[in-house]
Amino acid sequence: MSIERVGIVGAGQMGNGIAHVFALAGYQVLLNDISQDSLDAAMARIAKNMGRQITKGAISSEDQENALARIETTLTLTDLGQTDLVIEAATEKEEVKKQIFDTLLPHLKPETILTSNTSSISITRLASGTDRPEKFMGFHFMNPVPVMQLVELIRGIATDDETYKACLEVVNRLNKTAASAEDFPAFIVNRILMPMINEAVYTLYEGVGSVQCIDQSMKLGANHPMGPLELADFIGLDTCLSIMNVLHEGLADTKYRPCPLLTKYVEAGWLGRKTQRGFYDYRGETPVPTR
């Protein structure tokens, strides 16, 4: 199963990062979004991030030029039908993802592999709504994609060996490391990470420590490169809440109950860095704790 042309649905933070690494690895990339502004912003971000890699000596100017030339953009989702591998990296809402796959299905080649970059939604359930559950997988990149080395490969109950091996070869060609995860809520990384972040929010909610003290404690006391509340802001508090809800609903265990304070921040629209306010206020020169 030869994969050379890759279609990516969604040009946001994850989608543009995925396009970046695939283009550098020599794949032909077709990047789709519903907004031309998003596509233009994604191309600018990819060029900027590759520029940083040049500065660090990780790639050459020629590598950047060749990689950017391999990326095409389109507003028409069905244009992705002739690619060998589709990676859906749209918003973390199951109904949106299902609509994307429904639109794509009539236009796909019989051998095209479908994957989702979902961080928590059931791969088996997403696959069951398609005509190729055996050629469907979870392909979960970490953020930021060009920097993070791990990719979670999640097999649905029907995923065949050929599809898994083909995706594993892709991960190896990207010079990243694959972790194989079973299809249970939030897989491996977020199954462990999100409850830790949620517990940090509970620690704040119950007045055990301030934002600054909680983050400083985990950085200096547990040698974490980033505090859990700072990390939550980076990920997006809406994404954190969504994953905690998936864990709570999927595993029916009260230990996964989202902290009411996390819900309150999301209701306020304080989603972290992307909205300039979360557990920190980013509107000034340096971030300031909001509690």
Side-chain angles (χ1 to χ4, degrees):
M1 191 177 291
S2 177
I3 294 174
E4 293 299 333
R5 190 163 168 77
V6 179
I8 299 166
V9 184
Q13 191 171 31
M14 296 305 295
N16 76 63
I18 295 167
H20 175 142
V21 297
F22 270 89
L24 273 180
Y27 291 96
Q28 295 296 320
V29 175
L30 185 55
L31 181 61
N32 162 260
D33 201 279
I34 57 175
S35 159
Q36 186 60 50
D37 287 345
S38 295
L39 290 172
D40 293 343
M43 292 304 296
R45 175 56 63 96
I46 292 168
K48 182 180 179 181
N49 287 342
M50 286 183 183
R52 288 178 179 165
Q53 290 178 296
I54 293 171
T55 303
K56 293 176 181 176
I59 65 172
S60 67
S61 296
E62 186 179 3
D63 291 333
Q64 180 192 39
E65 185 179 343
N66 291 338
L68 290 173
R70 294 188 194 103
I71 304 174
E72 297 176 54
T73 62
T74 180
L75 292 169
T76 307
L77 178 60
T78 54
D79 287 349
L80 274 59
Q82 294 307 300
T83 58
D84 307 313
L85 169 68
V86 173
I87 301 174
E88 172 275 314
T91 186
E92 191 71 353
K93 293 181 180 176
E94 189 165 346
E95 60 273 19
V96 173
K97 295 178 186 297
K98 285 185 172 180
Q99 182 59 53
I100 287 167
F101 293 130
D102 286 346
T103 302
L104 269 173
L105 286 174
H107 304 274
L108 294 176
K109 298 187 297 183
E111 65 272 20
T112 298
I113 294 174
L114 276 180
T115 68
S116 175
N117 184 58
T118 179
S119 54
S120 60
I121 297 169
S122 168
I123 298 303
T124 297
R125 196 163 63 240
L126 287 175
S128 69
T130 75
D131 63 355
R132 60 195 70 207
E134 72 287 348
K135 292 187 179 299
F136 195 107
M137 278 198 70
F139 211 144
H140 182 216
F141 288 84
M142 306 296 126
N143 183 35
V145 181
V147 176
M148 302 297 278
Q149 289 301 302
L150 188 76
V151 179
E152 284 182 320
L153 291 181
I154 305 101
R155 296 175 73 147
I157 198 168
T159 308
D160 62 26
D161 288 341
E162 187 181 13
T163 299
Y164 172 76
K165 288 174 183 174
C167 289
L168 183 59
E169 285 178 15
V170 170
V171 175
N172 291 336
R173 182 168 159 185
L174 295 176
N175 200 28
K176 293 188 180 293
T177 300
S180 297
E182 292 298 317
D183 185 24
F184 290 100
F187 318 130
I188 296 172
V189 173
N190 284 319
R191 172 74 178 265
I192 298 167
L193 176 64
M194 287 302 158
M196 185 197 76
I197 287 175
N198 194 51
E199 194 62 30
V201 183
Y202 267 114
T203 305
L204 178 66
Y205 176 61
E206 294 168 4
V208 179
S210 66
V211 169
Q212 190 170 16
C213 286
I214 292 166
D215 278 351
Q216 191 174 56
S217 294
M218 293 308 292
K219 284 193 282 188
L220 301 182
N223 206 28
H224 290 192
M226 191 182 290
L229 301 175
E230 183 186 2
L231 179 57
D233 276 357
F234 180 77
I235 294 167
L237 303 193
D238 52 339
T239 300
C240 294
L241 179 59
S242 173
I243 295 170
M244 285 309 301
N245 281 327
V246 167
L247 280 166
H248 193 219
E249 292 162 13
L251 299 171
D253 192 323
T254 55
K255 72 180 181 181
Y256 298 116
R257 183 171 69 95
C259 179
L261 184 60
L262 177 61
T263 302
K264 191 64 67 180
Y265 268 75
V266 173
E267 288 174 345
W270 290 20
L271 309 181
R273 285 182 176 270
K274 61 187 173 185
T275 60
Q276 296 295 296
R277 277 191 291 188
F279 293 113
Y280 292 86
D281 189 324
Y282 300 92
R283 292 174 295 176
E285 286 187 17
T286 56
V288 178
T290 54
R291 288 180 86 85

